[in-house]
PDB file of all heavy atoms in Angstrom:
ATOM      1  N   ILE A  14     204.322-135.658 154.015  1.00  0.00           N
ATOM      2  CA  ILE A  14     203.785-136.763 153.213  1.00  0.00           C
ATOM      3  C   ILE A  14     203.734-136.369 151.748  1.00  0.00           C
ATOM      4  O   ILE A  14     203.430-135.215 151.419  1.00  0.00           O
ATOM      5  CB  ILE A  14     202.363-137.151 153.748  1.00  0.00           C
ATOM      6  CG1 ILE A  14     202.524-137.824 155.093  1.00  0.00           C
ATOM      7  CG2 ILE A  14     201.681-138.076 152.742  1.00  0.00           C
ATOM      8  CD1 ILE A  14     201.184-138.211 155.725  1.00  0.00           C
ATOM      9  N   ASP A  15     204.012-137.273 150.883  1.00  0.00           N
ATOM     10  CA  ASP A  15     204.018-137.035 149.424  1.00  0.00           C
ATOM     11  C   ASP A  15     202.605-136.806 148.993  1.00  0.00           C
ATOM     12  O   ASP A  15     201.771-137.714 149.080  1.00  0.00           O
ATOM     13  CB  ASP A  15     204.615-138.253 148.769  1.00  0.00           C
ATOM     14  CG  ASP A  15     205.123-137.929 147.335  1.00  0.00           C
ATOM     15  OD1 ASP A  15     204.838-136.825 146.916  1.00  0.00           O
ATOM     16  OD2 ASP A  15     205.794-138.810 146.758  1.00  0.00           O
ATOM     17  N   VAL A  16     202.328-135.632 148.457  1.00  0.00           N
ATOM     18  CA  VAL A  16     200.987-135.282 147.973  1.00  0.00           C
ATOM     19  C   VAL A  16     201.126-134.878 146.498  1.00  0.00           C
ATOM     20  O   VAL A  16     201.970-134.092 146.132  1.00  0.00           O
ATOM     21  CB  VAL A  16     200.394-134.109 148.746  1.00  0.00           C
ATOM     22  CG1 VAL A  16     198.971-133.802 148.221  1.00  0.00           C
ATOM     23  CG2 VAL A  16     200.374-134.395 150.271  1.00  0.00           C
ATOM     24  N   ALA A  17     200.232-135.450 145.650  1.00  0.00           N
ATOM     25  CA  ALA A  17     200.298-135.160 144.214  1.00  0.00           C
ATOM     26  C   ALA A  17     198.962-135.468 143.567  1.00  0.00           C
ATOM     27  O   ALA A  17     198.106-136.131 144.120  1.00  0.00           O
ATOM     28  CB  ALA A  17     201.425-135.927 143.558  1.00  0.00           C
ATOM     29  N   THR A  18     198.830-134.998 142.350  1.00  0.00           N
ATOM     30  CA  THR A  18     197.636-135.386 141.584  1.00  0.00           C
ATOM     31  C   THR A  18     197.781-136.858 141.134  1.00  0.00           C
ATOM     32  O   THR A  18     198.878-137.405 141.136  1.00  0.00           O
ATOM     33  CB  THR A  18     197.459-134.521 140.277  1.00  0.00           C
ATOM     34  OG1 THR A  18     198.583-134.688 139.456  1.00  0.00           O
ATOM     35  CG2 THR A  18     197.322-133.034 140.656  1.00  0.00           C
ATOM     36  N   VAL A  19     196.680-137.453 140.788  1.00  0.00           N
ATOM     37  CA  VAL A  19     196.706-138.830 140.284  1.00  0.00           C
ATOM     38  C   VAL A  19     197.588-138.906 139.066  1.00  0.00           C
ATOM     39  O   VAL A  19     198.397-139.852 138.912  1.00  0.00           O
ATOM     40  CB  VAL A  19     195.272-139.327 139.993  1.00  0.00           C
ATOM     41  CG1 VAL A  19     195.337-140.766 139.500  1.00  0.00           C
ATOM     42  CG2 VAL A  19     194.393-139.262 141.225  1.00  0.00           C
ATOM     43  N   HIS A  20     197.511-137.940 138.189  1.00  0.00           N
ATOM     44  CA  HIS A  20     198.310-137.933 136.996  1.00  0.00           C
ATOM     45  C   HIS A  20     199.760-137.973 137.253  1.00  0.00           C
ATOM     46  O   HIS A  20     200.525-138.704 136.621  1.00  0.00           O
ATOM     47  CB  HIS A  20     198.014-136.663 136.148  1.00  0.00           C
ATOM     48  CG  HIS A  20     196.645-136.722 135.441  1.00  0.00           C
ATOM     49  ND1 HIS A  20     195.450-136.511 136.114  1.00  0.00           N
ATOM     50  CD2 HIS A  20     196.367-136.912 134.090  1.00  0.00           C
ATOM     51  CE1 HIS A  20     194.470-136.621 135.240  1.00  0.00           C
ATOM     52  NE2 HIS A  20     194.958-136.852 134.021  1.00  0.00           N
ATOM     53  N   LYS A  21     200.218-137.161 138.277  1.00  0.00           N
ATOM     54  CA  LYS A  21     201.642-137.128 138.589  1.00  0.00           C
ATOM     55  C   LYS A  21     202.089-138.391 139.312  1.00  0.00           C
ATOM     56  O   LYS A  21     203.331-138.634 139.387  1.00  0.00           O
ATOM     57  CB  LYS A  21     201.955-135.858 139.370  1.00  0.00           C
ATOM     58  CG  LYS A  21     201.814-134.563 138.572  1.00  0.00           C
ATOM     59  CD  LYS A  21     202.207-133.329 139.375  1.00  0.00           C
ATOM     60  CE  LYS A  21     202.081-132.098 138.490  1.00  0.00           C
ATOM     61  NZ  LYS A  21     202.413-130.851 139.251  1.00  0.00           N
ATOM     62  N   PHE A  22     201.216-139.092 139.905  1.00  0.00           N
ATOM     63  CA  PHE A  22     201.560-140.317 140.628  1.00  0.00           C
ATOM     64  C   PHE A  22     201.618-141.560 139.730  1.00  0.00           C
ATOM     65  O   PHE A  22     202.010-142.664 140.179  1.00  0.00           O
ATOM     66  CB  PHE A  22     200.605-140.559 141.778  1.00  0.00           C
ATOM     67  CG  PHE A  22     201.328-140.774 143.123  1.00  0.00           C
ATOM     68  CD1 PHE A  22     201.539-139.726 143.966  1.00  0.00           C
ATOM     69  CD2 PHE A  22     201.680-142.023 143.544  1.00  0.00           C
ATOM     70  CE1 PHE A  22     202.204-139.884 145.164  1.00  0.00           C
ATOM     71  CE2 PHE A  22     202.366-142.243 144.743  1.00  0.00           C
ATOM     72  CZ  PHE A  22     202.593-141.179 145.539  1.00  0.00           C
ATOM     73  N   GLN A  23     201.156-141.429 138.498  1.00  0.00           N
ATOM     74  CA  GLN A  23     201.245-142.604 137.576  1.00  0.00           C
ATOM     75  C   GLN A  23     202.678-143.045 137.414  1.00  0.00           C
ATOM     76  O   GLN A  23     203.560-142.265 137.231  1.00  0.00           O
ATOM     77  CB  GLN A  23     200.611-142.247 136.221  1.00  0.00           C
ATOM     78  CG  GLN A  23     200.595-143.385 135.233  1.00  0.00           C
ATOM     79  CD  GLN A  23     199.580-143.190 134.131  1.00  0.00           C
ATOM     80  OE1 GLN A  23     198.420-142.855 134.431  1.00  0.00           O
ATOM     81  NE2 GLN A  23     199.977-143.494 132.899  1.00  0.00           N
ATOM     82  N   GLY A  24     202.843-144.355 137.492  1.00  0.00           N
ATOM     83  CA  GLY A  24     204.174-144.939 137.399  1.00  0.00           C
ATOM     84  C   GLY A  24     204.863-145.071 138.758  1.00  0.00           C
ATOM     85  O   GLY A  24     205.964-145.648 138.858  1.00  0.00           O
ATOM     86  N   ARG A  25     204.231-144.551 139.847  1.00  0.00           N
ATOM     87  CA  ARG A  25     204.812-144.626 141.182  1.00  0.00           C
ATOM     88  C   ARG A  25     203.984-145.546 142.030  1.00  0.00           C
ATOM     89  O   ARG A  25     202.936-146.035 141.684  1.00  0.00           O
ATOM     90  CB  ARG A  25     204.897-143.215 141.777  1.00  0.00           C
ATOM     91  CG  ARG A  25     205.674-142.235 141.000  1.00  0.00           C
ATOM     92  CD  ARG A  25     205.583-140.832 141.587  1.00  0.00           C
ATOM     93  NE  ARG A  25     206.078-140.840 142.938  1.00  0.00           N
ATOM     94  CZ  ARG A  25     205.906-139.866 143.823  1.00  0.00           C
ATOM     95  NH1 ARG A  25     205.214-138.808 143.494  1.00  0.00           N
ATOM     96  NH2 ARG A  25     206.380-139.897 145.015  1.00  0.00           N
ATOM     97  N   GLU A  26     204.468-145.781 143.263  1.00  0.00           N
ATOM     98  CA  GLU A  26     203.770-146.637 144.193  1.00  0.00           C
ATOM     99  C   GLU A  26     204.102-146.244 145.651  1.00  0.00           C
ATOM    100  O   GLU A  26     205.171-145.645 145.882  1.00  0.00           O
ATOM    101  CB  GLU A  26     204.108-148.125 143.991  1.00  0.00           C
ATOM    102  CG  GLU A  26     205.602-148.395 144.163  1.00  0.00           C
ATOM    103  CD  GLU A  26     205.971-149.830 143.877  1.00  0.00           C
ATOM    104  OE1 GLU A  26     205.390-150.428 142.895  1.00  0.00           O
ATOM    105  OE2 GLU A  26     206.837-150.390 144.536  1.00  0.00           O
ATOM    106  N   LYS A  27     203.220-146.585 146.561  1.00  0.00           N
ATOM    107  CA  LYS A  27     203.474-146.420 148.008  1.00  0.00           C
ATOM    108  C   LYS A  27     202.791-147.616 148.728  1.00  0.00           C
ATOM    109  O   LYS A  27     201.844-148.228 148.232  1.00  0.00           O
ATOM    110  CB  LYS A  27     202.894-145.114 148.516  1.00  0.00           C
ATOM    111  CG  LYS A  27     203.600-143.854 148.038  1.00  0.00           C
ATOM    112  CD  LYS A  27     204.868-143.585 148.776  1.00  0.00           C
ATOM    113  CE  LYS A  27     205.494-142.244 148.399  1.00  0.00           C
ATOM    114  NZ  LYS A  27     206.762-141.960 149.115  1.00  0.00           N
ATOM    115  N   ASP A  28     203.254-147.889 149.946  1.00  0.00           N
ATOM    116  CA  ASP A  28     202.586-148.895 150.750  1.00  0.00           C
ATOM    117  C   ASP A  28     201.130-148.498 150.964  1.00  0.00           C
ATOM    118  O   ASP A  28     200.245-149.362 150.876  1.00  0.00           O
ATOM    119  CB  ASP A  28     203.273-149.105 152.087  1.00  0.00           C
ATOM    120  CG  ASP A  28     204.513-149.947 151.975  1.00  0.00           C
ATOM    121  OD1 ASP A  28     204.648-150.661 150.972  1.00  0.00           O
ATOM    122  OD2 ASP A  28     205.348-149.918 152.876  1.00  0.00           O
ATOM    123  N   ALA A  29     200.903-147.251 151.298  1.00  0.00           N
ATOM    124  CA  ALA A  29     199.524-146.817 151.569  1.00  0.00           C
ATOM    125  C   ALA A  29     199.224-145.585 150.732  1.00  0.00           C
ATOM    126  O   ALA A  29     200.069-144.677 150.596  1.00  0.00           O
ATOM    127  CB  ALA A  29     199.392-146.433 153.068  1.00  0.00           C
ATOM    128  N   ILE A  30     198.034-145.609 150.128  1.00  0.00           N
ATOM    129  CA  ILE A  30     197.617-144.458 149.273  1.00  0.00           C
ATOM    130  C   ILE A  30     196.257-144.014 149.858  1.00  0.00           C
ATOM    131  O   ILE A  30     195.352-144.797 150.094  1.00  0.00           O
ATOM    132  CB  ILE A  30     197.431-144.891 147.820  1.00  0.00           C
ATOM    133  CG1 ILE A  30     198.819-145.033 147.160  1.00  0.00           C
ATOM    134  CG2 ILE A  30     196.665-143.846 147.072  1.00  0.00           C
ATOM    135  CD1 ILE A  30     199.615-143.748 146.954  1.00  0.00           C
ATOM    136  N   VAL A  31     196.122-142.691 150.018  1.00  0.00           N
ATOM    137  CA  VAL A  31     194.833-142.062 150.409  1.00  0.00           C
ATOM    138  C   VAL A  31     194.387-141.199 149.209  1.00  0.00           C
ATOM    139  O   VAL A  31     195.184-140.368 148.757  1.00  0.00           O
ATOM    140  CB  VAL A  31     194.968-141.196 151.658  1.00  0.00           C
ATOM    141  CG1 VAL A  31     193.688-140.566 152.027  1.00  0.00           C
ATOM    142  CG2 VAL A  31     195.535-142.044 152.819  1.00  0.00           C
ATOM    143  N   MET A  32     193.174-141.357 148.760  1.00  0.00           N
ATOM    144  CA  MET A  32     192.667-140.575 147.650  1.00  0.00           C
ATOM    145  C   MET A  32     191.556-139.660 148.104  1.00  0.00           C
ATOM    146  O   MET A  32     190.499-140.132 148.630  1.00  0.00           O
ATOM    147  CB  MET A  32     192.153-141.513 146.541  1.00  0.00           C
ATOM    148  CG  MET A  32     191.637-140.691 145.335  1.00  0.00           C
ATOM    149  SD  MET A  32     190.887-141.712 144.035  1.00  0.00           S
ATOM    150  CE  MET A  32     190.441-140.537 142.805  1.00  0.00           C
ATOM    151  N   SER A  33     191.675-138.348 147.946  1.00  0.00           N
ATOM    152  CA  SER A  33     190.680-137.366 148.194  1.00  0.00           C
ATOM    153  C   SER A  33     189.935-137.064 146.874  1.00  0.00           C
ATOM    154  O   SER A  33     190.581-136.552 145.931  1.00  0.00           O
ATOM    155  CB  SER A  33     191.246-136.098 148.811  1.00  0.00           C
ATOM    156  OG  SER A  33     190.288-135.054 148.817  1.00  0.00           O
ATOM    157  N   THR A  34     188.660-137.365 146.798  1.00  0.00           N
ATOM    158  CA  THR A  34     187.934-137.140 145.529  1.00  0.00           C
ATOM    159  C   THR A  34     187.427-135.716 145.304  1.00  0.00           C
ATOM    160  O   THR A  34     187.163-135.316 144.171  1.00  0.00           O
ATOM    161  CB  THR A  34     186.683-138.099 145.449  1.00  0.00           C
ATOM    162  OG1 THR A  34     185.879-137.862 146.592  1.00  0.00           O
ATOM    163  CG2 THR A  34     187.123-139.522 145.445  1.00  0.00           C
ATOM    164  N   VAL A  35     187.312-134.926 146.391  1.00  0.00           N
ATOM    165  CA  VAL A  35     186.962-133.494 146.388  1.00  0.00           C
ATOM    166  C   VAL A  35     185.496-133.167 146.082  1.00  0.00           C
ATOM    167  O   VAL A  35     184.812-132.476 146.847  1.00  0.00           O
ATOM    168  CB  VAL A  35     187.846-132.697 145.368  1.00  0.00           C
ATOM    169  CG1 VAL A  35     187.480-131.217 145.393  1.00  0.00           C
ATOM    170  CG2 VAL A  35     189.349-132.865 145.728  1.00  0.00           C
ATOM    171  N   ASP A  36     184.946-133.712 144.968  1.00  0.00           N
ATOM    172  CA  ASP A  36     183.610-133.305 144.540  1.00  0.00           C
ATOM    173  C   ASP A  36     182.479-133.689 145.497  1.00  0.00           C
ATOM    174  O   ASP A  36     182.495-134.762 146.010  1.00  0.00           O
ATOM    175  CB  ASP A  36     183.274-133.904 143.178  1.00  0.00           C
ATOM    176  CG  ASP A  36     184.223-133.449 142.031  1.00  0.00           C
ATOM    177  OD1 ASP A  36     184.797-132.389 142.195  1.00  0.00           O
ATOM    178  OD2 ASP A  36     184.270-134.133 141.031  1.00  0.00           O
ATOM    179  N   ASP A  37     181.517-132.763 145.673  1.00  0.00           N
ATOM    180  CA  ASP A  37     180.311-133.072 146.427  1.00  0.00           C
ATOM    181  C   ASP A  37     179.435-134.040 145.636  1.00  0.00           C
ATOM    182  O   ASP A  37     178.938-135.074 146.167  1.00  0.00           O
ATOM    183  CB  ASP A  37     179.528-131.821 146.744  1.00  0.00           C
ATOM    184  CG  ASP A  37     180.221-130.918 147.716  1.00  0.00           C
ATOM    185  OD1 ASP A  37     180.892-131.384 148.597  1.00  0.00           O
ATOM    186  OD2 ASP A  37     180.129-129.662 147.517  1.00  0.00           O
ATOM    187  N   THR A  38     179.265-133.789 144.377  1.00  0.00           N
ATOM    188  CA  THR A  38     178.664-134.689 143.436  1.00  0.00           C
ATOM    189  C   THR A  38     179.718-135.094 142.418  1.00  0.00           C
ATOM    190  O   THR A  38     180.293-134.217 141.693  1.00  0.00           O
ATOM    191  CB  THR A  38     177.483-133.987 142.664  1.00  0.00           C
ATOM    192  OG1 THR A  38     176.480-133.617 143.656  1.00  0.00           O
ATOM    193  CG2 THR A  38     176.870-134.980 141.691  1.00  0.00           C
TER     194      THR A  38
END
């Protein structure tokens, strides 16, 4: 699966996007 930072995904698109936010707070 294509995995990248949000910055590197700018200008791109996918049918489905999953975002992991990482931070506890």
Side-chain angles (χ1 to χ4, degrees):
I14 290 180
D15 200 351
V16 182
T18 61
V19 180
H20 286 75
K21 290 183 180 177
F22 232 91
Q23 183 158 312
R25 302 175 58 194
E26 61 184 36
K27 291 282 186 179
D28 280 344
I30 288 289
V31 179
M32 181 185 182
S33 167
T34 55
V35 179
D36 295 339
D37 294 323
T38 299

